[in-house]
Amino acid sequence: MMKKDAVDGHLARLREDGFTVLRDAVAPDAVAALIDALDRIQRDHGLGPARTGFEGRNTVRINNLLTYDPAFWQVPLHADVLAVAEAVLDPELLLSSYCSLVVGPGQAAQPLHADTQLLPLPRPHMPITLNAIWALSDFTEETGATRIVPGSHRLDRAPDYGRDYDTVAATMPAGSIMLFDSALWHGAGSNNSDRRRYAFSCAYCWGWMRQQENLQLGIPREVAVTFPRRLQELCGYSVYKGQFGHIDNHDPIELLGRERGKRMVWEASDAKAAHAASAAAGDEAGNTALHN
Ligand SMILES: O=C(O)CCC(=O)C(=O)O
């Protein structure tokens, strides 16, 4: 479990620079197993590069990753990433999107963007989504480390599409995770090496927001029932503050066969009022007994 001081350090860097890096966050054997799983899934499912310039025609992105292999479940559940994400957002956060980013040799740099720039919010704004880029390969200038504009999450605009800006490469060794505020200007770098650059993007948003990927429809129920409870909640089988996301006054986690989920806010208010009334009645009885 990450110590509070360490969480605070990451929060301060996120506020100031818009990004922070967790070093040695993934053990080398876990990194190797995840790369093997990505290669196997790509082969077994005959998956190929993306079909748009933005996604990269020499970049393999596997969306809806949780449906492919339990090996991928651990990624959104990374304890240290969640500790920081919950501090930036809150513990009722959701998984917004989760995909692989395997940038092939020769892939040109991706246009700079901010992940939530299409949302009609005045900028700068509070953090609404926190992205975690998992480096499964060494992220160097040559292999196509993500390019970023430090501090750009505090600007009042998003970048113009396709324009060149001064950027820095978010270099980090394999096993590191870069967390960044979704308002930060960034994009995959060009891969000028002869190796594939393996990574994940795993983004978390507030529980009151619409997720980027529709995980409740995208993940078949028979797969979702096998997830650990926390992963089910992250995927949207949960309610925010006992209000947003309910189904007929019930927590959607119950649709996955879980025991009673969270109480809805209305029921909780009644329970609170009943508790207060019985406490007051108890006091009255106690006071009456004292005075007799
Ligand atoms: O691959 C990367 O380094 C970043 C990818 C990215 O920002 C995106 O696809 O939105």
Side-chain angles (χ1 to χ4, degrees):
M1 182 68 179
M2 189 182 276
K3 296 218 169 75
K4 186 176 177 314
D5 280 1
V7 173
D8 288 347
H10 289 299
L11 292 181
R13 282 188 287 280
L14 281 164
R15 262 193 311 271
E16 185 59 24
D17 304 327
F19 74 98
T20 186
V21 175
L22 278 57
R23 300 251 164 189
D24 300 318
V26 197
D29 54 344
V31 168
L34 287 165
I35 290 177
D36 280 354
L38 285 175
D39 284 341
R40 178 167 41 80
I41 299 302
Q42 185 184 341
R43 205 174 44 243
D44 292 354
H45 292 264
L47 304 174
R51 295 202 186 87
T52 65
F54 179 81
E55 293 168 293
R57 293 192 171 86
N58 198 3
T59 295
V60 178
R61 292 162 177 262
I62 308 177
N63 292 301
N64 215 18
L65 255 186
L66 293 169
T67 59
Y68 285 95
D69 196 300
F72 301 125
W73 298 359
Q74 61 188 295
V75 172
L77 292 170
H78 191 288
D80 289 349
V81 172
L82 278 178
V84 179
E86 288 181 1
V88 172
L89 305 168
D90 71 17
E92 292 187 320
L93 81 187
L94 294 173
L95 181 62
S96 181
S97 65
Y98 174 29
C99 68
S100 61
L101 299 166
V102 182
V103 179
Q107 171 67 61
Q110 184 184 38
L112 277 199
H113 59 282
D115 287 335
T116 45
Q117 70 181 51
L118 296 178
L119 298 179
L121 290 174
R123 287 181 59 125
H125 52 66
M126 66 191 283
I128 51 172
T129 301
L130 188 77
N131 199 340
I133 298 274
W134 284 48
L136 300 178
S137 307
D138 289 335
F139 268 39
T140 65
E141 293 262 2
E142 203 199 4
T143 60
T146 312
R147 315 282 322 178
I148 56 176
V149 181
S152 52
H153 64 305
R154 292 188 270 107
L155 297 176
D156 62 1
R157 63 194 183 283
D160 296 331
Y161 192 79
R163 208 177 120 185
D164 275 343
Y165 292 94
D166 285 340
T167 59
V168 297
T171 56
M172 52 184 171
S176 309
I177 301 176
M178 174 174 67
L179 302 179
F180 66 89
D181 184 316
S182 65
L184 190 78
W185 301 10
H186 70 280
S190 57
N191 185 349
N192 301 313
S193 76
D194 56 4
R195 298 176 303 282
R196 304 177 93 196
R197 193 219 66 178
Y198 288 86
F200 292 121
S201 161
C202 185
Y204 306 85
C205 66
W206 286 100
W208 43 260
M209 267 177 75
R210 178 148 207 200
Q211 294 147 278
Q212 183 168 321
E213 280 185 279
N214 193 326
L215 299 171
Q216 295 106 78
L217 287 176
I219 300 170
R221 185 183 177 280
E222 62 271 22
V223 176
V225 287
T226 65
F227 288 174
R229 185 176 182 127
R230 182 72 170 125
L231 190 57
Q232 294 172 336
E233 291 168 351
L234 285 174
C235 287
Y237 291 94
S238 49
V239 262
Y240 188 75
K241 305 281 185 212
Q243 181 176 9
F244 298 94
H246 76 87
I247 300 176
D248 198 11
N249 275 355
H250 284 268
D251 185 333
I253 196 100
E254 293 171 17
L255 291 182
L256 296 182
R258 295 283 182 189
E259 290 294 302
R260 186 155 165 64
K262 281 192 190 141
R263 273 184 184 185
M264 291 313 103
V265 63
W266 308 282
E267 204 186 321
S269 310
D270 272 1
K272 208 166 150 191
H275 181 77
S278 80
D283 270 2
E284 226 166 71
N287 285 339
T288 313
L290 268 182
H291 288 109
N292 279 343

